[in-house]
Amino acid sequence: MSLLEVSDLTMEYSSAGYVVRPVRDFSLQMESGQLGLLLGPSGCGKSTLLSALAGLLRPVAGSIRVNGSEVTELSGAALARYRQSAIGIVFQAFNLIPSLTARENIELVLRTAGYRRTAARRRSETLLEQVDLGDHVNQRPGTLSGGEQQRVAIARALALDPPLLLADEPTAHLDYIQVEGVLNILRQLADANRTVLIATHDERLLPLADRIIELAPVQLPATGPAETMALGDGAVLFRQGDAGSLVYMVESGTVVLSRERSDGTEEVLQEVGPGAYFGELAPMFGLPRSATARAQGDTAVTGLPLSSFRSHMRAGSRYGGGPA
């Protein structure tokens, strides 16, 4: 059995009154001792996924199993125990308490878990030695460099020896000198009894990884000739959140572009008729479709690869654009 098993996970939240699903039908398996990199641009759902694995957000569908425990079914005291002992989190912004020393930031976690004062102090000092900060135990975060603060945050995440360590952009605020020590520590943390999953877009971490997980896979540009297709009334060409590689031109009929609201209704954004194009944003910028395209009445559309669409535009096409 894998230490981490994610199956068909979908996360959903509301943004400005619209439904956003940054993670949809996502699956992953990781073994003990593996270090995985969760790659993708800002907004693709990396932090949302880590929050779900940490039990901080609940998915709308799918399964998360850590060490055989179904996280999505936990609640109350059982969920609190999971968050406390099964996972460690390294935050992008460190999240250290500025009034406490490096040792006290770690001791707080241990004391909350029931450690006696002497045992908590001894464990904290051992962890700070492990991240090469044995000489900084009594320093407060404000006197430490960004790299040193991140190492304190890593030590704090390891306080209760969790089997799963989650790190959200752990090198985002570090320069190339500070990042070296953090990279070495992150690689050492994945051992026979621990799995490490790091969300990042920092390519410096690539050599560390046993697994590369693309949360937002690169959409390869479509090639080949334009293709015209017939759509019956109500037929869906693509849905909000789908990947997209084609720009569409309406030859006859009407395509309605709509966006799903948080209350379950749909807002009509635009009705696209003959002589107009839509859907250029997804292939141009590698974004998911921002709307659903549905035929209204019998409709014919032509799907163009991006290169063909650009040729049309350079030739002075009269088509007007739409969202998605």
Side-chain angles (χ1 to χ4, degrees), residues 122-137:
R122 187 164 53 246
R123 171 70 174 159
S124 300
E125 292 175 349
T126 298
L127 287 167
L128 288 169
E129 289 281 356
Q130 184 178 337
V131 297
D132 299 324
L133 288 177
D135 295 333
H136 297 71
V137 294

Side-chain angles (χ1 to χ4, degrees), residues 1 21 83 87 106 146 165 213 241 244 257 262 296 299 312 315:
M1 179 177 61
R21 297 184 183 92
R83 291 170 178 166
I87 53 124
I106 303 170
L165 183 72
I213 304 110
L257 300 176
S262 302
Q296 182 174 282
T299 301
H312 273 269

Side-chain angles (χ1 to χ4, degrees), residues 196-209:
V196 178
L197 182 60
I198 303 172
T200 187
H201 60 264
D202 188 343
E203 294 184 357
R204 294 174 294 186
L205 275 68
L206 290 175
L208 303 181

Side-chain angles (χ1 to χ4, degrees), residues 14-307:
S14 175
S15 177
Y18 297 107
V19 171
V20 179
R21 297 184 183 92
V23 179
R24 189 168 66 170
D25 299 328
F26 176 80
S27 296
L28 170 68
Q29 287 190 344
M30 290 187 67
E31 309 297 332
S32 295
Q34 286 190 320
L35 186 148
L37 292 187
L38 189 63
L39 300 183
S42 297
C44 74
K46 299 189 301 294
S47 296
T48 301
L49 176 59
L50 291 190
S51 295
L53 300 181
L56 301 174
L57 294 177
R58 194 173 292 274
V60 295
S63 168
I64 300 171
R65 298 185 70 83
V66 176
N67 259 355
S69 176
E70 179 55 56
V71 178
T72 62
E73 296 178 355
L74 299 178
S75 62
L79 181 58
R81 285 193 298 272
Y82 168 79
R83 291 170 178 166
Q84 184 179 65
S85 60
I87 53 124
I89 306 176
V90 180
F91 298 96
Q92 178 178 337
F94 316 141
N95 286 11
L96 301 174
I97 299 174
S99 61
L100 301 181
T101 66
R103 182 183 63 212
E104 289 167 344
N105 266 278
I106 303 170
E107 283 181 357
L108 182 62
V109 175
L110 294 161
R111 294 283 287 162
T112 302
Y115 274 62
R116 294 185 178 276
R117 185 180 302 277
T118 301
R121 171 166 293 202
R122 187 164 53 246
R123 171 70 174 159
S124 300
E125 292 175 349
T126 298
L127 287 167
L128 288 169
E129 289 281 356
Q130 184 178 337
V131 297
D132 299 324
L133 288 177
D135 295 333
H136 297 71
V137 294
N138 293 315
Q139 288 187 239
R140 288 182 171 81
T143 67
L144 300 173
S145 70
E148 289 167 342
Q149 289 184 64
Q150 192 60 287
R151 282 186 274 159
V152 174
I154 291 171
R156 181 184 58 188
L158 296 173
L160 299 175
D161 197 23
L164 177 61
L165 183 72
L166 307 173
D168 191 4
E169 299 284 4
T171 60
H173 301 299
L174 309 183
D175 60 36
Y176 72 95
I177 294 175
Q178 296 172 344
V179 81
E180 182 177 356
V182 172
L183 294 183
N184 289 332
I185 291 167
L186 289 172
R187 176 62 267 182
Q188 295 167 14
L189 293 180
D191 59 27
N193 298 311
R194 181 179 294 115
T195 297
V196 178
L197 182 60
I198 303 172
T200 187
H201 60 264
D202 188 343
E203 294 184 357
R204 294 174 294 186
L205 275 68
L206 290 175
L208 303 181
D210 301 305
R211 295 279 309 279
I212 304 292
I213 304 110
E214 288 276 3
L215 192 58
V218 175
Q219 179 70 35
L220 296 177
T223 58
E227 181 180 351
T228 300
M229 62 192 79
L231 303 173
D233 184 35
V236 174
L237 185 61
F238 56 73
R239 294 191 179 278
Q240 182 177 328
D242 287 349
S245 60
L246 295 174
V247 184
Y248 292 96
M249 295 183 174
V250 179
E251 305 295 342
S252 63
T254 302
V255 171
V256 177
L257 300 176
S258 62
R259 190 169 291 158
E260 186 179 352
R261 288 187 173 276
S262 302
D263 61 6
T265 62
E266 283 192 339
E267 176 188 7
V268 174
L269 304 176
Q270 188 174 346
E271 293 185 1
V272 187
Y277 66 81
F278 63 94
E280 71 277 12
L281 297 182
M284 278 185 175
F285 300 105
L287 299 170
R289 297 291 189 186
S290 62
T292 295
R294 184 180 288 107
Q296 182 174 282
D298 291 337
T299 301
V301 299
T302 298
L304 291 172
L306 196 54
S307 58

